């Protein structure tokens, strides 16, 4: 796993990471969210969201800009992917 971008908020208690993994000769991008805002550390990660770097970076910015927490992360990613694929 190779980290491409990270973003921290709330004095480091909310962290977003855009990462890449190579599979079958192609880069696959994923995002993780880690939060310790409410005491215990909570983490959510979705690898292999897309092979398109531009879309991965756009999604990363939207998630970080809207302070998405690990508890709602998968639903938000699902909505963003569905919206991107809707004609």
């Amino acid at each position: 796993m190779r980290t491409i971008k990270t973003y921290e908020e709330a004095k480091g208690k909310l962290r977003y990471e855009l990462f890449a993994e190579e599979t079958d000769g192609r880069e696959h991008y994923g995002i993780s969210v880690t939060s310790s805002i409410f005491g215990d550390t909570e983490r959510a990660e979705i690898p292999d969201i897309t092979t398109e770097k531009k879309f991965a970076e756009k999604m990363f910015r939207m998630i970080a800009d809207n302070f998405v927490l690990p508890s709602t992360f998968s639903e938000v990613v699902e909505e963003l992917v569905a919206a991107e694929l809707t004609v």
Side-chain angles (χ1 to χ4, degrees), residues 38-74:
F38 305 109
D40 293 336
T41 299
E42 183 182 4
R43 187 171 193 279
E45 176 181 299
I46 302 177
D48 197 14
I49 296 172
T50 184
T51 57
E52 297 177 25
K53 186 175 184 180
K54 187 175 180 177
F55 177 57
E57 289 175 335
K58 176 183 172 183
M59 187 180 303
F60 176 78
R61 281 190 310 275
M62 291 176 74
I63 289 168
D65 288 348
N66 288 286
F67 305 110
V68 174
L69 297 173
S71 58
T72 57
F73 176 60
S74 64

Side-chain angles (χ1 to χ4, degrees), residues 1-6 15-23 26-34 43-49:
M1 182 171 81
R2 178 174 57 89
T3 300
I4 297 172
K5 291 183 180 182
T6 59
R15 179 183 170 90
Y16 300 93
E17 183 175 0
L18 174 63
F19 61 89
E21 298 176 304
E22 189 172 323
T23 306
R26 296 180 70 185
E27 292 265 289
H28 295 255
Y29 300 95
I31 300 171
S32 69
V33 180
T34 306
R43 187 171 193 279
E45 176 181 299
I46 302 177
D48 197 14
I49 296 172

